[in-house]
Amino acid sequence: MPQRLRLLLPLLGLLICTTALAQDDPLRSPGWNIMVDRFFRDATVIHDERVQVSAPPGAENSHSVPGLVRVEGIEDIQRLLVFADLNPIPRILELTPTTALPTVGFQFKVQQATPLRAAVQTADGTWYVGGTWVDAAGGGCSAPSIASANPDWQDRLGEMAGRQWQQQDGAQRIQFSVIHPMDTGLAPGIPEFHLEEIQVYREDGTLLASLEIESSMAENPRLLLELPGEGTLRIHGRDNNGNRFAGVLR
Amino acid sequence: MNRALLLCLTMLWTLPATAYELSPEEVAPGVWVFEGRQEHFTRENQGDIANTGFIVTGAGVIVIDTGPSARYGRAMHAAIRDVTREPVIAVYITHAHPDHFLGNQAFPEVPIVALPATIEAIKRDGDALTDNLYRMVGAAMEGTDPVVPGHEAIPNRYKVGDRELKFIAAAGHSGKVASDLMILDRTAGVLFAGDVVFHDRAPTTPHADVSAWIAQLDALSELDFRVLVPGHGPVARNHDPIEQTRTYLRWLDAHLREAADAGVHIVEFMNQPLPDRFAALAVAREEYKRSVAHLYPPLEQARLQPLERP
Ligand SMILES: [Zn+2]
């Protein structure tokens, strides 16, 4: 029984903190104020349902949980930040849309139940935030997969694949993937090793979108973006060890 | 994670476990089934969601699957003793999902038999699967540890007591290689199909190879039997559950491929309503979402083509 009490006390503490801190957070997350401190210090932050974040409520594979962010009706977006409050590495990606639409699809790792959030900053500095909870526990028959530790990744590092779809609304949807282990550096003996940035250009060199990426993103990242117009694209990437990758998406 | 700690944590918000109420139904002479609930794992159902059974052969009892926990296995063993004096002589595990094999501890003196792929999977994932069930089911799991089957099942016909049994290695539900064991009691005309067949309950797919599974179901419709014991859902006296399972899987497969071809993102269609004919299956919505999560990412990735270097 004393052992059980010892477990209970921190939980109670957490509950009390949660109710005190999370009042202005529609998701009532115990990590919200830390996120405000980290990402939005001194800025105006508005919770806004036009920032739509979709993810499955439970993670079938906690090493790769899909998420999709869409923003409708907010103009003049400068940055789009995606993060998970209660992840050891909360920041997942940051999209500078340039001319791309404020839409991004991705997969990320979860360790415990956490909000997944997106925040967009407009030119006046205001952040608009939306989000949803994701539970780390999935169904019963899914053994938490061991991060695949695919032995041939070294030969295939940086290999890119992709495809584009012309949508009815005129936007060009692209999905592309990069072979990369995306090691967080949190596992003992495995240094941090992950994709750090990606740029998407038109064939003539016009920059359409750039992304900063953290190791909280799943292994072999696969990203979805939506771009104005149509045509061939060039995608460039770089990891934190300085490896550079590039591919042409026709 | 430490299992005692997990249990301690889960006990903070659950009541202590109550006894499993297991009463077997005799579906054919000497062939008995414990029907699980058509639900997901919850603390209330204590993980009792799959069908298990046994055959009284005249030369001893053979047990087919042992349920989700050591306590379940023991309750099962006690219920078998209420029905027959014959001892349990063998336990067969249909596949490596935790609702089917975690009662193995209740049969310590008896050979536990499974297909090689099942033995491998339990060796590899048994601990993780058990931990996961502790999280979802809580106190009922107390004392449960995975027991790896020690004997390989060899698909063939066997004479056991007064029965002619046929062991069939099936593929699909647990993967591309044959890793689902089905047992046909030819004497009684009963097929224990394991999770190759679901009935009035949406199929689960965490390790499924859908094409192999559909092919397996095609082959199964030729098989001669009178009583069908699915892995989940009520016992049937016809082949209908085979068709039901196949119809669902065919639809799921086509639906996912179509979405992947169109570049639809996984969360964009996970929440769409199911067609009416499937919405009536137990736990259809949850299972559908889980299936999308298991099966869609490889299809999405397969649609992408290698990019040339500039
Ligand atoms: Zn199963």
Side-chain angles (χ1 to χ4, degrees):
Chain A
M1 191 48 86
Q3 206 182 0
R4 220 194 271 180
L5 262 184
R6 230 177 291 143
L7 277 168
L8 191 56
L9 285 174
L11 281 181
L12 277 178
L14 189 63
L15 281 176
I16 293 161
C17 291
T18 310
T19 37
L21 289 174
Q23 266 160 6
D24 65 345
D25 172 19
L27 298 182
R28 309 215 146 259
S29 152
W32 173 242
N33 282 32
I34 301 166
M35 296 303 108
V36 170
D37 226 39
R38 182 181 298 214
F39 298 124
F40 313 125
R41 197 179 290 191
D42 301 326
T44 308
V45 177
I46 299 170
H47 293 283
D48 192 319
E49 285 176 1
R50 291 176 298 172
V51 182
Q52 300 158 15
V53 179
S54 325
E60 279 300 307
N61 172 2
S62 60
H63 291 282
S64 182
V65 180
L68 180 69
V69 176
R70 275 183 173 290
V71 184
E72 262 155 33
I74 301 179
E75 300 301 320
D76 211 10
I77 292 170
Q78 309 294 305
R79 302 156 73 189
L80 187 162
L81 173 68
V82 181
F83 61 95
D85 301 14
L86 303 178
N87 259 9
I89 300 168
R91 191 167 180 261
I92 297 168
L93 67 87
E94 186 171 323
L95 168 70
T96 305
T98 316
T99 65
L101 302 177
T103 298
V104 62
F106 53 92
Q107 302 85 38
F108 69 110
K109 303 166 194 158
V110 290
Q111 214 163 51
Q112 60 175 30
T114 176
L116 172 67
R117 305 204 203 236
V120 292
Q121 191 176 36
T122 52
D124 68 358
T126 306
W127 286 98
Y128 298 84
V129 183
T132 185
W133 274 93
V134 177
D135 194 338
C141 298
S142 314
S145 48
I146 309 130
S148 74
N150 191 346
D152 66 349
W153 72 260
Q154 273 167 318
D155 302 333
R156 302 187 55 202
L157 182 73
E159 246 178 57
M160 298 172 87
R163 184 159 166 185
Q164 54 165 299
W165 292 265
Q166 211 60 43
Q167 302 198 123
Q168 279 169 0
D169 61 7
Q172 179 183 28
R173 170 174 285 202
I174 62 168
Q175 292 202 52
F176 60 93
S177 62
V178 185
I179 303 273
H180 207 286
M182 300 302 281
D183 291 319
T184 57
L186 299 174
I190 305 173
E192 190 180 358
F193 183 39
H194 62 89
L195 272 179
E196 213 164 46
E197 51 176 64
I198 288 174
Q199 292 90 26
V200 180
Y201 301 92
R202 278 282 165 229
E203 227 178 355
D204 64 8
T206 320
L207 179 66
L208 302 180
S210 44
L211 283 153
E212 285 175 30
I213 288 174
E214 301 290 344
S215 59
S216 43
M217 197 171 276
E219 176 189 32
N220 304 331
R222 189 172 67 246
L223 288 149
L224 177 152
L225 294 174
E226 287 181 355
L227 311 165
E230 55 189 271
T232 301
L233 301 161
R234 278 165 186 268
I235 303 173
H236 291 247
R238 187 180 57 76
D239 69 19
N240 66 326
N241 281 12
N243 299 306
R244 290 179 180 276
F245 319 105
V248 179
L249 175 54
R250 289 183 199 284
Chain B
M1 200 195 287
N2 178 314
R3 229 167 257 153
L5 174 65
L6 266 179
L7 188 66
C8 195
L9 280 169
T10 56
M11 278 174 22
L12 288 172
W13 64 82
T14 55
L15 298 168
T18 53
Y20 287 96
E21 279 161 35
L22 297 185
S23 44
E25 182 203 342
E26 191 169 22
V27 298
V31 183
W32 299 76
V33 173
F34 297 93
E35 194 182 308
R37 297 207 227 165
Q38 292 159 47
E39 298 171 0
H40 269 296
F41 298 111
T42 63
R43 288 160 204 285
E44 291 69 37
N45 65 34
Q46 308 195 95
D48 175 11
I49 63 165
N51 298 334
T52 61
F54 60 98
I55 303 173
V56 182
T57 69
V61 175
I62 71 161
V63 170
I64 299 158
D65 282 344
T66 59
S69 67
R71 291 167 81 111
Y72 178 101
R74 287 196 294 270
M76 195 182 168
H77 205 164
I80 294 170
R81 286 194 205 99
D82 287 342
V83 165
T84 175
R85 287 209 168 123
E86 290 185 29
V88 174
I89 53 168
V91 171
Y92 290 88
I93 298 302
T94 58
H95 67 297
H97 285 161
D99 40 345
H100 297 266
F101 73 85
L102 282 175
N104 287 359
Q105 282 160 291
F107 304 93
E109 316 276 293
V110 179
I112 300 181
V113 190
L115 290 169
T118 304
I119 296 174
E120 273 318 299
I122 295 177
K123 259 187 208 157
R124 188 183 63 234
D125 299 333
D127 271 311
L129 290 168
T130 309
D131 284 352
N132 212 10
L133 226 50
Y134 268 75
R135 274 187 210 103
M136 283 186 292
V137 168
M141 297 299 294
E142 195 177 358
T144 302
D145 280 307
V147 174
V148 179
H151 300 262
E152 285 190 7
I154 298 162
N156 209 336
R157 289 185 187 186
Y158 297 93
K159 184 102 173 100
V160 183
D162 56 22
R163 308 272 152 165
E164 197 191 317
L165 303 179
K166 187 177 180 188
F167 295 153
I168 304 163
H173 172 69
S174 304
K176 203 184 191 79
V177 297
S179 38
D180 294 287
L181 179 65
M182 300 193 295
I183 297 177
L184 176 63
D185 178 339
R186 291 165 57 95
T187 311
V190 181
L191 176 69
F192 282 88
D195 280 6
V196 175
V197 180
F198 283 70
H199 186 199
D200 292 343
R201 196 258 190 223
T204 63
T205 58
H207 306 98
D209 181 299
V210 175
S211 312
W213 194 348
I214 292 170
Q216 185 67 57
L217 290 164
D218 290 342
L220 213 55
S221 12
E222 311 287 304
L223 205 64
D224 188 27
F225 56 82
R226 287 185 295 279
V227 179
L228 173 58
V229 185
H232 298 259
V235 173
R237 308 219 165 243
N238 52 46
H239 284 51
D240 293 355
I242 297 173
E243 189 47 37
Q244 197 185 58
T245 306
R246 185 167 46 186
T247 305
Y248 177 82
L249 291 174
R250 279 212 185 114
W251 167 78
L252 183 66
D253 193 46
H255 172 69
L256 296 185
R257 284 174 192 280
E258 206 175 290
D261 285 339
V264 180
H265 190 268
I266 188 165
V267 301
E268 289 176 301
F269 70 103
M270 216 176 216
N271 294 318
Q272 282 170 11
L274 284 173
D276 287 344
R277 60 198 162 128
F278 303 126
L281 299 176
V283 295
R285 277 227 57 82
E286 295 148 281
E287 256 350 313
Y288 164 72
K289 280 191 195 188
R290 297 183 55 212
S291 290
V292 173
H294 305 140
L295 303 172
Y296 195 61
L299 294 176
E300 279 180 299
Q301 187 65 40
R303 298 300 180 279
L304 307 188
Q305 272 133 24
L307 301 191
E308 346 160 348
R309 314 241 163 187

